[in-house]
Amino acid sequence: ADILLWRNKKISGGMFACATVIWFLFECTGYHLLTFICHSLIVSLAISFFWSNLSFFVNKRFIELPKIELPEESWMQFVLLLRDQCTCAFGIFREVASGDDLKKFLYAIFGLWIVSIVGRWFSLLTLVYLIFVMMLTVPCLYEKYEDQVNAYGKMAIKELRKQYSQVDEKVLQKIPIPFIKDSKHD
């Protein structure tokens, strides 16, 4: 929380600068993440290999690389969490696709459509960078201007509700839905 609210300006600024450099490296120069990982591994393997072979000639001891063992419990917790999230996502997809709730269906279609439009504007890396920058700036700005944001938020919600009621009255209620059973016929 201290980092997101810029209470420790050095760490927050460092994270922001690091994210900007990474974004610039990958997005603006055209360098790709997989290529970067492979090149980094090539350089570290080459340095380790040559150091281990040259250490014999210069009478220096080779730096022992630690044996890395990943704990099974941590991986099982991660896999179970991932499984639970996927199950939840598939459950939501099934609920929306079942055709029981037109509102949820339209919200889902609208949300996915908006995400697809935003996806055309930015690459995935740029989108992740923008989300990271927003995570670093929005909480700090909200804390500073909380009263004004809340006032504008209330006005926006009021206007959105008014617009939704007009769309609901003029469009949504006039859509015939033949597959929903009428309670009068039961």
Side-chain angles (χ1 to χ4, degrees):
D2 289 342
I3 294 170
L4 293 179
L5 294 173
W6 288 75
R7 292 193 177 116
N8 190 340
K9 292 184 184 342
K10 287 183 181 180
I11 293 176
S12 299
M15 288 180 66
F16 180 72
C18 183
T20 302
V21 167
I22 289 171
W23 174 78
F24 184 78
L25 175 70
F26 291 119
E27 193 64 31
C28 293
T29 62
Y31 207 49
H32 299 283
L33 180 62
L34 186 60
T35 306
F36 175 73
I37 292 171
C38 290
H39 287 170
S40 300
L41 289 173
I42 289 169
V43 167
S44 19
L45 282 174
I47 289 172
S48 297
F49 179 80
F50 288 125
W51 181 259
S52 67
N53 286 319
L54 291 175
S55 65
F56 176 73
F57 295 114
V58 292
N59 294 329
K60 294 258 182 177
R61 199 166 159 243
F62 175 67
I63 299 171
E64 290 289 328
L65 296 175
K67 184 178 179 182
I68 298 174
E69 291 184 22
L70 301 173
E72 184 177 346
E73 291 176 20
S74 300
W75 281 102
M76 288 302 294
Q77 288 176 351
F78 174 73
V79 169
L80 290 174
L81 177 68
L82 186 64
R83 183 200 65 178
D84 292 343
Q85 294 299 319
C86 288
T87 303
C88 182
F90 285 130
I92 291 170
F93 182 82
R94 183 173 168 257
E95 181 182 336
V96 169
S98 68
D100 293 338
D101 192 358
L102 180 62
K103 244 189 231 186
K104 280 185 185 177
F105 172 74
L106 291 175
Y107 283 146
I109 295 297
F110 182 71
L112 290 171
W113 180 63
I114 294 295
V115 169
S116 73
I117 289 173
V118 171
R120 276 190 257 156
W121 295 339
F122 306 107
S123 69
L124 180 63
L125 182 65
T126 301
L127 196 58
V128 169
Y129 173 70
L130 289 174
I131 290 170
F132 183 76
V133 169
M134 286 174 61
M135 283 175 41
L136 282 177
T137 56
V138 169
C140 181
L141 292 174
Y142 179 74
E143 185 180 55
K144 192 173 184 178
Y145 302 107
E146 185 174 358
D147 297 333
Q148 293 94 337
V149 171
N150 288 341
Y152 284 121
K154 287 178 184 177
M155 288 189 324
I157 288 173
K158 187 177 174 182
E159 184 64 30
L160 283 172
R161 284 186 179 152
K162 186 172 102 176
Q163 295 294 327
Y164 176 75
S165 66
Q166 289 176 354
V167 169
D168 186 40
E169 180 183 307
K170 293 179 181 176
V171 178
L172 296 179
Q173 291 188 2
K174 293 182 181 180
I175 297 175
I177 305 175
F179 50 85
I180 295 180
K181 293 180 182 177
D182 210 2
S183 60
K184 295 176 186 175
H185 297 292
D186 290 339

